[in-house]
């Protein structure tokens, strides 16, 4: 792979002609928290109805890009579009009915219960003419059940373990009932079994027709669950496509500075990274 040159494998979003307008897209987006850009002129089509996972080393801009998709961070240049329309042209409530975000380390209001937190996911669906209804109660009950939090619905969010609190936030996102769900490192604080529970839930939601975009660190989890894998480095997209096309030993060595073998996962046949032994400086024998 030529260093610094993006490699794009068939994303399945369209064939020939003008780019598809359905779903989320970035057009020449540059993002910054100060003078130096964090994301540099990135263009990306998020496959509508897919499960897209963004990976890359720390500080490469993957979470920053996700924030721009959620309208949390305004591009310095370029634009983010939803179904071909600049997201900045949408009213906040209209956008929140279509796109939900679970950020890193969200903070719950003091004294709120799990159910109270999840109820907040229904706010974008309310107007002066449409107040609370049985549909909201059903959405909350289903969200709590899918996140495995039904038995803790009346618990104080502040009294939960880190993993339980993360699942409460996931329930709130599910209650928002959007077509697009953005997840920034959603497996943080979860033990290994709950990590896979969450990723299986993402796959289930994707099969139900939701578009999922998640930032993950674990390459093997990304390869197992993603239908579309995006690899970032130094603020740029360096490769994207199906995991079995994108995830190569050459790419892992270049982007993650890790020598490895890529073998088929014995359960799913998806690419699995087997790191080589790391030789410490001064170690002999």
């Amino acid at each position: 792979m030529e260093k610094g040159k993006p490699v794009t494998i068939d994303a399945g979003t369209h064939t020939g002609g003008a780019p598809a307008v359905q779903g989320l897209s970035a057009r020449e987006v540059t993002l910054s928290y100060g003078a130096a850009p964090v994301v540099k002129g990135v263009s990306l089509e998020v496959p509508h109805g897919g499960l897209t996972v963004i990976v890359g080393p720390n500080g490469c801009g993957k979470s920053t890009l996700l924030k721009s998709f959620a309208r949390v961070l305004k591009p310095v240049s370029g634009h983010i579009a939803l179904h071909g329309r600049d997201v900045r042209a949408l009213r906040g409530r209209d956008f929140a009915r279509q796109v939900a975000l679970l950020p890193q380390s969200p903070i719950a209001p003091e004294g709120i219960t799990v159910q109270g937190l999840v109820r907040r996911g229904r706010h974008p669906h309310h107007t002066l003419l449409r107040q609370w209804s049985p549909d909201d109660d059903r959405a909350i009950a289903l969200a709590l059940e899918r996140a495995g939090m039904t038995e803790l619905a009346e618990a104080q969010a502040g009294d939960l373990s880190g993993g339980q609190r993360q699942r409460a936030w996931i329930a709130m996102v599910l209650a928002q009932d959007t077509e697009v769900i953005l997840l920034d490192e959603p497996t943080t604080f979860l033990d290994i079994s709950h990590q896979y529970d969450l990723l299986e839930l993402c796959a289930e939601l994707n099969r139900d027709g939701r578009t999922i975009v998640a930032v993950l660190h674990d390459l093997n989890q990304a390869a197992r669950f993603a239908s579309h894998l995006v690899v970032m480095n130094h603020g740029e997209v360096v490769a994207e496509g199906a995991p079995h096309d994108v995830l190569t030993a050459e790419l892992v060595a270049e982007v993650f500075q890790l020598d490895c073998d890529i073998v088929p996962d014995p359960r799913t046949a998806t690419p699995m990274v087997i790191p080589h032994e790391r030789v410490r400086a001064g170690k002999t024998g």
Side-chain angles (χ1 to χ4, degrees), residues 104-183:
Q104 289 185 41
S105 305
I107 299 175
E110 188 174 352
I112 197 170
T113 66
V114 169
Q115 186 165 6
L117 182 65
V118 177
R119 284 171 66 94
R120 292 184 169 219
R122 300 302 299 164
H123 288 176
H125 299 278
H126 297 156
T127 66
L128 290 175
L129 298 178
R130 188 199 181 283
Q131 297 299 308
W132 199 267
S133 74
D135 287 342
D136 296 307
D137 292 324
R138 284 190 289 269
I140 288 170
L142 179 59
L144 287 166
E145 179 184 352
R146 286 186 127 175
M149 293 297 289
T150 301
E151 294 183 359
L152 292 171
E154 301 303 325
Q156 295 286 313
D159 294 338
L160 301 177
S161 69
Q164 290 170 334
R165 194 176 303 117
Q166 184 77 340
R167 285 188 284 143
W169 282 104
I170 290 164
M172 190 196 77
V173 168
L174 295 178
Q176 197 170 330
D177 194 23
T178 57
E179 62 174 299
V180 179
I181 298 175
L182 308 175
L183 303 168

Side-chain angles (χ1 to χ4, degrees), residues 71 85 87-98:
R71 300 205 324 176
R85 186 178 180 187
V87 295
R88 293 281 162 183
L90 298 170
R91 294 189 307 169
R93 190 179 296 272
D94 291 338
F95 183 78
R97 289 172 181 163
Q98 299 177 76

Side-chain angles (χ1 to χ4, degrees), residues 258-271:
L258 179 69
D259 292 327
C260 69
D261 295 322
I262 304 293
V263 302
D265 186 307
R267 298 291 299 178
T268 63
T270 52

Side-chain angles (χ1 to χ4, degrees), residues 25 57 124 170 178 231 280:
S25 62
I170 290 164
T178 57
V231 184
R280 296 178 183 177

